[in-house]
Amino acid sequence: MNRVFSFLRPGLAVLCASAIFAGQASAAPVFVPAPDHGLPTALVQSDCYAIGQQVAAQNGGTLARASQSTKGGQPVCVIVVLVPGKDGQRPRRTEIVVPLN
């Protein structure tokens, strides 16, 4: 009976070690190349940032935040602009929602 267990222990250790390494191999990141369909690809967040800069310039303020959101099933950019206060007062925080087109 001891001989059976003496053969099983190393075999079980090898099986556990291979399971650990196989689990790590499957958890490795997978890199998928971008599709090459000839069309320019742009990040939405950078689009919202560019839109935010335009909105801030139109309102005479500085861009504090630009993020993408979904409202009513439509993609929108939520723009936060800090407009300078009058007579040295604190800046006003203005949140503007712009449709992402």
Side-chain angles (χ1 to χ4, degrees), residues 31-67:
F31 297 103
V32 179
D36 186 22
H37 44 69
L39 298 174
T41 304
L43 296 173
V44 173
Q45 187 173 5
S46 64
D47 288 343
C48 285
Y49 184 76
I51 292 170
Q53 286 180 327
Q54 292 175 355
V55 169
Q58 290 171 355
N59 291 321
T62 57
L63 179 63
R65 188 182 78 195
S67 60

Side-chain angles (χ1 to χ4, degrees), residues 4-96:
V4 173
F5 286 123
S6 65
F7 287 114
L8 286 179
R9 280 188 196 153
L12 186 59
V14 169
L15 183 64
C16 289
S18 64
I20 289 172
F21 289 121
Q24 289 177 353
S26 65
V30 177
F31 297 103
V32 179
D36 186 22
H37 44 69
L39 298 174
T41 304
L43 296 173
V44 173
Q45 187 173 5
S46 64
D47 288 343
C48 285
Y49 184 76
I51 292 170
Q53 286 180 327
Q54 292 175 355
V55 169
Q58 290 171 355
N59 291 321
T62 57
L63 179 63
R65 188 182 78 195
S67 60
Q68 183 198 9
S69 182
T70 304
K71 298 212 180 198
Q74 299 295 325
V76 295
C77 291
V78 179
I79 310 297
V80 177
V81 178
L82 296 176
V83 181
K86 296 178 182 172
D87 300 325
Q89 293 180 347
R90 290 178 40 180
R92 291 178 295 136
R93 181 183 183 272
T94 306
E95 186 172 305
I96 303 164

